[in-house]
Amino acid sequence: MSVRGPLLILGFGGHARSVGDVALAAGFKRLLFIDEHARDGEAFEGHRVLSTLPKPDGDYWQAFPAAGQNFRREHQCQEAPHPLATLVAPSATIGIGASVGEGTLLARNSHVGPLAQIGRGVILNTGCVVDHECMVGDFSHISVNATVAGRVKIGRRVMLGAGAVVIDNLSICDDVVIGAGAVVVDDITMAGTYVGVPARPVDRRKPLTDDAVDL
Ligand SMILES: CC(C)(COP(=O)(O)OP(=O)(O)OC[C@H]1O[C@@H](n2cnc3c(N)ncnc32)[C@H](O)[C@@H]1OP(=O)(O)O)[C@@H](O)C(=O)NCCC(=O)NCCS
């Protein structure tokens, strides 16, 4: 779509500023941030931040969900007042046959391999790699410099921390958090938080001590 009316960016947190940066690099000329906590006169590089949505001014508007938290971004996608844009940084690369959903961000230097399927409202953050034939579910976040090897299936609302690695052909179910720097070497079939190399559930890593046993 060549229309470049104002892009409504939903939110004005840290991630929203990264979204604004990519939107400008991708060619949007006018941004409007909407954040209920906005203070009077706040702006991002000359682009206004408002606390409530103004009436459309006749231009075609698109919206973009910019909450960093997965569940909040899911809500933003469901309640978006306008059609959702897909934002792709000029330095991002997309392999042949790959698909990318609405409301999804491909940040600078991110890479989607051939035939991968990336859902709606997904964040593929700076420098991450999602390799060939992977599937990434709606509202997930692949953080800065994380690497997902080929044919991995990632569920919905998964947070893969900065620099984490998932080896090829694995599955990660919905609502999983993988800590920064973790290496996932087995399927993950239960929602929860996993850290370390190899990645293990946070609350099951500690050996049982006497303190933990109810005698
Ligand atoms: C995994 C994570 C979500 C855990 O956060 P949390 O639920 O608040 O957990 P805590 O900080 O209480 O840590 C729980 C335990 O896990 C350990 N831990 C936390 N993160 C870890 C990590 N990334 N690698 C290894 N161990 C980790 C803590 O040391 C602690 O261990 P202990 O119980 O032996 O003291 C968080 O530490 C993390 O890695 N977030 C990713 C952030 C990120 O990559 N952001 C990128 C945005 S682009």
Side-chain angles (χ1 to χ4, degrees), residues 101-135:
E102 293 172 345
T104 287
L105 174 77
L106 269 62
R108 291 179 191 264
N109 296 317
S110 58
H111 173 70
V112 175
L115 303 173
Q117 296 173 43
I118 312 297
R120 284 177 95 222
V122 171
I123 302 172
L124 298 189
N125 225 322
T126 310
C128 77
V129 172
V130 177
D131 210 351
H132 61 91
E133 298 155 273
C134 283
M135 294 170 70

mmCIF file of all heavy atoms in Angstrom, residues 101-135:
data_model
loop_
_atom_site.group_PDB
_atom_site.id
_atom_site.type_symbol
_atom_site.label_atom_id
_atom_site.label_comp_id
_atom_site.label_asym_id
_atom_site.label_seq_id
_atom_site.Cartn_x
_atom_site.Cartn_y
_atom_site.Cartn_z
ATOM 1 N N GLY A 101 2.496 -11.321 9.293
ATOM 2 C CA GLY A 101 1.144 -10.846 9.601
ATOM 3 C C GLY A 101 1.054 -9.358 9.867
ATOM 4 O O GLY A 101 2.064 -8.659 10.024
ATOM 5 N N GLU A 102 -0.204 -8.899 9.965
ATOM 6 C CA GLU A 102 -0.460 -7.481 10.259
ATOM 7 C C GLU A 102 -0.035 -7.150 11.686
ATOM 8 O O GLU A 102 -0.118 -8.002 12.580
ATOM 9 C CB GLU A 102 -1.951 -7.191 10.124
ATOM 10 C CG GLU A 102 -2.459 -7.313 8.718
ATOM 11 C CD GLU A 102 -3.971 -7.217 8.679
ATOM 12 O OE1 GLU A 102 -4.605 -7.352 9.749
ATOM 13 O OE2 GLU A 102 -4.500 -6.998 7.584
ATOM 14 N N GLY A 103 0.385 -5.909 11.878
ATOM 15 C CA GLY A 103 0.759 -5.465 13.211
ATOM 16 C C GLY A 103 2.094 -6.032 13.668
ATOM 17 O O GLY A 103 2.445 -5.936 14.842
ATOM 18 N N THR A 104 2.821 -6.616 12.749
ATOM 19 C CA THR A 104 4.128 -7.221 13.079
ATOM 20 C C THR A 104 5.250 -6.271 12.691
ATOM 21 O O THR A 104 5.174 -5.588 11.666
ATOM 22 C CB THR A 104 4.256 -8.589 12.380
ATOM 23 O OG1 THR A 104 3.395 -9.498 13.068
ATOM 24 C CG2 THR A 104 5.674 -9.127 12.382
ATOM 25 N N LEU A 105 6.283 -6.248 13.543
ATOM 26 C CA LEU A 105 7.456 -5.395 13.320
ATOM 27 C C LEU A 105 8.655 -6.262 12.961
ATOM 28 O O LEU A 105 9.002 -7.196 13.698
ATOM 29 C CB LEU A 105 7.791 -4.627 14.605
ATOM 30 C CG LEU A 105 9.088 -3.805 14.547
ATOM 31 C CD1 LEU A 105 8.880 -2.522 13.748
ATOM 32 C CD2 LEU A 105 9.586 -3.463 15.947
ATOM 33 N N LEU A 106 9.296 -5.940 11.862
ATOM 34 C CA LEU A 106 10.623 -6.498 11.566
ATOM 35 C C LEU A 106 11.605 -5.360 11.778
ATOM 36 O O LEU A 106 11.730 -4.448 10.947
ATOM 37 C CB LEU A 106 10.701 -7.018 10.127
ATOM 38 C CG LEU A 106 10.323 -8.501 9.915
ATOM 39 C CD1 LEU A 106 8.888 -8.766 10.305
ATOM 40 C CD2 LEU A 106 10.574 -8.913 8.482
ATOM 41 N N ALA A 107 12.302 -5.388 12.915
ATOM 42 C CA ALA A 107 13.203 -4.295 13.264
ATOM 43 C C ALA A 107 14.489 -4.377 12.439
ATOM 44 O O ALA A 107 14.684 -5.318 11.661
ATOM 45 C CB ALA A 107 13.493 -4.346 14.762
ATOM 46 N N ARG A 108 15.333 -3.410 12.666
ATOM 47 C CA ARG A 108 16.549 -3.308 11.846
ATOM 48 C C ARG A 108 17.363 -4.602 11.922
ATOM 49 O O ARG A 108 17.549 -5.173 12.997
ATOM 50 C CB ARG A 108 17.404 -2.140 12.321
ATOM 51 C CG ARG A 108 16.763 -0.779 12.039
ATOM 52 C CD ARG A 108 17.643 0.333 12.548
ATOM 53 N NE ARG A 108 16.953 1.615 12.533
ATOM 54 C CZ ARG A 108 17.048 2.511 11.533
ATOM 55 N NH1 ARG A 108 17.793 2.260 10.481
ATOM 56 N NH2 ARG A 108 16.398 3.653 11.621
ATOM 57 N N ASN A 109 17.848 -5.006 10.751
ATOM 58 C CA ASN A 109 18.742 -6.168 10.619
ATOM 59 C C ASN A 109 18.128 -7.486 11.097
ATOM 60 O O ASN A 109 18.863 -8.430 11.371
ATOM 61 C CB ASN A 109 20.068 -5.934 11.350
ATOM 62 C CG ASN A 109 20.827 -4.786 10.730
ATOM 63 O OD1 ASN A 109 20.900 -4.685 9.512
ATOM 64 N ND2 ASN A 109 21.360 -3.904 11.554
ATOM 65 N N SER A 110 16.826 -7.550 11.204
ATOM 66 C CA SER A 110 16.212 -8.847 11.514
ATOM 67 C C SER A 110 16.104 -9.645 10.214
ATOM 68 O O SER A 110 16.121 -9.078 9.115
ATOM 69 C CB SER A 110 14.830 -8.662 12.156
ATOM 70 O OG SER A 110 13.989 -7.913 11.296
ATOM 71 N N HIS A 111 16.007 -10.953 10.354
ATOM 72 C CA HIS A 111 15.950 -11.807 9.156
ATOM 73 C C HIS A 111 14.884 -12.885 9.334
ATOM 74 O O HIS A 111 14.851 -13.577 10.362
ATOM 75 C CB HIS A 111 17.302 -12.469 8.892
ATOM 76 C CG HIS A 111 17.239 -13.478 7.774
ATOM 77 N ND1 HIS A 111 17.059 -13.111 6.449
ATOM 78 C CD2 HIS A 111 17.299 -14.836 7.778
ATOM 79 C CE1 HIS A 111 17.019 -14.200 5.690
ATOM 80 N NE2 HIS A 111 17.151 -15.265 6.474
ATOM 81 N N VAL A 112 14.063 -13.041 8.325
ATOM 82 C CA VAL A 112 13.073 -14.116 8.266
ATOM 83 C C VAL A 112 13.470 -15.032 7.112
ATOM 84 O O VAL A 112 13.588 -14.571 5.970
ATOM 85 C CB VAL A 112 11.660 -13.540 8.030
ATOM 86 C CG1 VAL A 112 10.654 -14.663 7.841
ATOM 87 C CG2 VAL A 112 11.243 -12.635 9.174
ATOM 88 N N GLY A 113 13.689 -16.291 7.403
ATOM 89 C CA GLY A 113 14.140 -17.218 6.365
ATOM 90 C C GLY A 113 13.024 -17.613 5.418
ATOM 91 O O GLY A 113 11.846 -17.350 5.662
ATOM 92 N N PRO A 114 13.384 -18.287 4.333
ATOM 93 C CA PRO A 114 12.396 -18.669 3.329
ATOM 94 C C PRO A 114 11.309 -19.569 3.917
ATOM 95 O O PRO A 114 11.585 -20.417 4.777
ATOM 96 C CB PRO A 114 13.234 -19.424 2.279
ATOM 97 C CG PRO A 114 14.530 -19.737 2.935
ATOM 98 C CD PRO A 114 14.745 -18.700 3.990
ATOM 99 N N LEU A 115 10.087 -19.326 3.478
ATOM 100 C CA LEU A 115 8.909 -20.133 3.832
ATOM 101 C C LEU A 115 8.525 -20.048 5.311
ATOM 102 O O LEU A 115 7.676 -20.808 5.766
ATOM 103 C CB LEU A 115 9.116 -21.613 3.440
ATOM 104 C CG LEU A 115 9.423 -21.840 1.954
ATOM 105 C CD1 LEU A 115 9.784 -23.302 1.703
ATOM 106 C CD2 LEU A 115 8.244 -21.427 1.089
ATOM 107 N N ALA A 116 9.133 -19.155 6.050
ATOM 108 C CA ALA A 116 8.727 -18.976 7.447
ATOM 109 C C ALA A 116 7.363 -18.300 7.489
ATOM 110 O O ALA A 116 6.978 -17.572 6.568
ATOM 111 C CB ALA A 116 9.761 -18.136 8.191
ATOM 112 N N GLN A 117 6.616 -18.551 8.570
ATOM 113 C CA GLN A 117 5.298 -17.923 8.743
ATOM 114 C C GLN A 117 5.304 -17.165 10.062
ATOM 115 O O GLN A 117 5.398 -17.771 11.129
ATOM 116 C CB GLN A 117 4.203 -18.985 8.775
ATOM 117 C CG GLN A 117 4.078 -19.758 7.478
ATOM 118 C CD GLN A 117 3.097 -20.915 7.631
ATOM 119 O OE1 GLN A 117 2.036 -20.765 8.225
ATOM 120 N NE2 GLN A 117 3.466 -22.069 7.106
ATOM 121 N N ILE A 118 5.186 -15.859 9.963
ATOM 122 C CA ILE A 118 5.228 -14.994 11.142
ATOM 123 C C ILE A 118 3.825 -14.436 11.349
ATOM 124 O O ILE A 118 3.249 -13.844 10.424
ATOM 125 C CB ILE A 118 6.235 -13.825 10.945
ATOM 126 C CG1 ILE A 118 7.588 -14.326 10.402
ATOM 127 C CG2 ILE A 118 6.383 -13.034 12.243
ATOM 128 C CD1 ILE A 118 8.327 -15.277 11.326
ATOM 129 N N GLY A 119 3.305 -14.601 12.565
ATOM 130 C CA GLY A 119 1.912 -14.232 12.836
ATOM 131 C C GLY A 119 1.675 -12.741 12.963
ATOM 132 O O GLY A 119 2.480 -11.909 12.533
ATOM 133 N N ARG A 120 0.531 -12.414 13.598
ATOM 134 C CA ARG A 120 0.107 -11.012 13.814
ATOM 135 C C ARG A 120 0.708 -10.465 15.092
ATOM 136 O O ARG A 120 0.844 -11.184 16.076
ATOM 137 C CB ARG A 120 -1.412 -10.946 14.035
ATOM 138 C CG ARG A 120 -2.252 -11.085 12.850
ATOM 139 C CD ARG A 120 -3.723 -11.061 13.284
ATOM 140 N NE ARG A 120 -4.284 -9.724 13.166
ATOM 141 C CZ ARG A 120 -5.076 -9.150 14.051
ATOM 142 N NH1 ARG A 120 -5.397 -9.773 15.168
ATOM 143 N NH2 ARG A 120 -5.552 -7.941 13.833
ATOM 144 N N GLY A 121 0.956 -9.163 15.092
ATOM 145 C CA GLY A 121 1.366 -8.501 16.322
ATOM 146 C C GLY A 121 2.664 -9.050 16.898
ATOM 147 O O GLY A 121 2.882 -8.977 18.104
ATOM 148 N N VAL A 122 3.502 -9.588 16.044
ATOM 149 C CA VAL A 122 4.776 -10.182 16.488
ATOM 150 C C VAL A 122 5.862 -9.095 16.469
ATOM 151 O O VAL A 122 5.842 -8.209 15.612
ATOM 152 C CB VAL A 122 5.167 -11.354 15.555
ATOM 153 C CG1 VAL A 122 6.578 -11.856 15.833
ATOM 154 C CG2 VAL A 122 4.153 -12.488 15.684
ATOM 155 N N ILE A 123 6.804 -9.202 17.411
ATOM 156 C CA ILE A 123 8.006 -8.359 17.350
ATOM 157 C C ILE A 123 9.178 -9.243 16.950
ATOM 158 O O ILE A 123 9.516 -10.192 17.677
ATOM 159 C CB ILE A 123 8.343 -7.711 18.709
ATOM 160 C CG1 ILE A 123 7.173 -6.875 19.218
ATOM 161 C CG2 ILE A 123 9.605 -6.862 18.594
ATOM 162 C CD1 ILE A 123 7.385 -6.356 20.660
ATOM 163 N N LEU A 124 9.779 -8.949 15.824
ATOM 164 C CA LEU A 124 11.071 -9.554 15.484
ATOM 165 C C LEU A 124 12.081 -8.444 15.696
ATOM 166 O O LEU A 124 12.210 -7.530 14.870
ATOM 167 C CB LEU A 124 11.086 -10.077 14.044
ATOM 168 C CG LEU A 124 10.085 -11.195 13.716
ATOM 169 C CD1 LEU A 124 10.361 -11.773 12.328
ATOM 170 C CD2 LEU A 124 10.110 -12.314 14.751
ATOM 171 N N ASN A 125 12.766 -8.492 16.818
ATOM 172 C CA ASN A 125 13.553 -7.340 17.244
ATOM 173 C C ASN A 125 14.914 -7.277 16.544
ATOM 174 O O ASN A 125 15.302 -8.197 15.829
ATOM 175 C CB ASN A 125 13.679 -7.346 18.769
ATOM 176 C CG ASN A 125 13.442 -5.966 19.337
ATOM 177 O OD1 ASN A 125 13.867 -4.979 18.740
ATOM 178 N ND2 ASN A 125 12.789 -5.882 20.475
ATOM 179 N N THR A 126 15.622 -6.213 16.841
ATOM 180 C CA THR A 126 16.845 -5.883 16.115
ATOM 181 C C THR A 126 17.814 -7.070 16.048
ATOM 182 O O THR A 126 18.190 -7.643 17.075
ATOM 183 C CB THR A 126 17.551 -4.708 16.818
ATOM 184 O OG1 THR A 126 16.580 -3.681 17.034
ATOM 185 C CG2 THR A 126 18.696 -4.175 15.981
ATOM 186 N N GLY A 127 18.213 -7.415 14.847
ATOM 187 C CA GLY A 127 19.265 -8.407 14.654
ATOM 188 C C GLY A 127 18.857 -9.847 14.876
ATOM 189 O O GLY A 127 19.721 -10.725 14.826
ATOM 190 N N CYS A 128 17.574 -10.107 15.111
ATOM 191 C CA CYS A 128 17.202 -11.514 15.350
ATOM 192 C C CYS A 128 17.113 -12.275 14.029
ATOM 193 O O CYS A 128 16.965 -11.671 12.958
ATOM 194 C CB CYS A 128 15.888 -11.623 16.129
ATOM 195 S SG CYS A 128 14.413 -11.327 15.155
ATOM 196 N N VAL A 129 17.221 -13.603 14.144
ATOM 197 C CA VAL A 129 17.103 -14.465 12.966
ATOM 198 C C VAL A 129 16.024 -15.500 13.251
ATOM 199 O O VAL A 129 16.072 -16.188 14.284
ATOM 200 C CB VAL A 129 18.437 -15.190 12.675
ATOM 201 C CG1 VAL A 129 18.255 -16.222 11.567
ATOM 202 C CG2 VAL A 129 19.525 -14.188 12.308
ATOM 203 N N VAL A 130 15.070 -15.594 12.355
ATOM 204 C CA VAL A 130 14.052 -16.658 12.402
ATOM 205 C C VAL A 130 14.204 -17.404 11.085
ATOM 206 O O VAL A 130 13.846 -16.893 10.027
ATOM 207 C CB VAL A 130 12.635 -16.057 12.559
ATOM 208 C CG1 VAL A 130 11.594 -17.167 12.526
ATOM 209 C CG2 VAL A 130 12.527 -15.267 13.855
ATOM 210 N N ASP A 131 14.761 -18.590 11.149
ATOM 211 C CA ASP A 131 15.241 -19.206 9.918
ATOM 212 C C ASP A 131 14.134 -19.940 9.151
ATOM 213 O O ASP A 131 12.961 -19.892 9.529
ATOM 214 C CB ASP A 131 16.445 -20.099 10.262
ATOM 215 C CG ASP A 131 17.416 -20.177 9.090
ATOM 216 O OD1 ASP A 131 17.082 -19.696 7.989
ATOM 217 O OD2 ASP A 131 18.520 -20.738 9.266
ATOM 218 N N HIS A 132 14.559 -20.647 8.146
ATOM 219 C CA HIS A 132 13.647 -21.216 7.154
ATOM 220 C C HIS A 132 12.555 -22.104 7.785
ATOM 221 O O HIS A 132 12.797 -22.866 8.725
ATOM 222 C CB HIS A 132 14.429 -22.050 6.134
ATOM 223 C CG HIS A 132 15.161 -23.206 6.747
ATOM 224 N ND1 HIS A 132 14.611 -24.451 6.877
ATOM 225 C CD2 HIS A 132 16.393 -23.294 7.297
ATOM 226 C CE1 HIS A 132 15.471 -25.269 7.454
ATOM 227 N NE2 HIS A 132 16.560 -24.578 7.731
ATOM 228 N N GLU A 133 11.366 -21.916 7.280
ATOM 229 C CA GLU A 133 10.188 -22.747 7.619
ATOM 230 C C GLU A 133 9.791 -22.705 9.091
ATOM 231 O O GLU A 133 9.071 -23.585 9.564
ATOM 232 C CB GLU A 133 10.423 -24.213 7.196
ATOM 233 C CG GLU A 133 10.604 -24.349 5.704
ATOM 234 C CD GLU A 133 11.394 -25.573 5.338
ATOM 235 O OE1 GLU A 133 12.644 -25.497 5.314
ATOM 236 O OE2 GLU A 133 10.754 -26.606 5.087
ATOM 237 N N CYS A 134 10.258 -21.709 9.806
ATOM 238 C CA CYS A 134 9.773 -21.547 11.187
ATOM 239 C C CYS A 134 8.342 -21.013 11.177
ATOM 240 O O CYS A 134 7.897 -20.388 10.214
ATOM 241 C CB CYS A 134 10.634 -20.517 11.931
ATOM 242 S SG CYS A 134 12.231 -21.143 12.450
ATOM 243 N N MET A 135 7.648 -21.244 12.289
ATOM 244 C CA MET A 135 6.346 -20.603 12.499
ATOM 245 C C MET A 135 6.418 -19.848 13.821
ATOM 246 O O MET A 135 6.809 -20.436 14.839
ATOM 247 C CB MET A 135 5.233 -21.648 12.569
ATOM 248 C CG MET A 135 5.028 -22.367 11.240
ATOM 249 S SD MET A 135 3.936 -23.778 11.404
ATOM 250 C CE MET A 135 2.406 -22.937 11.684
#
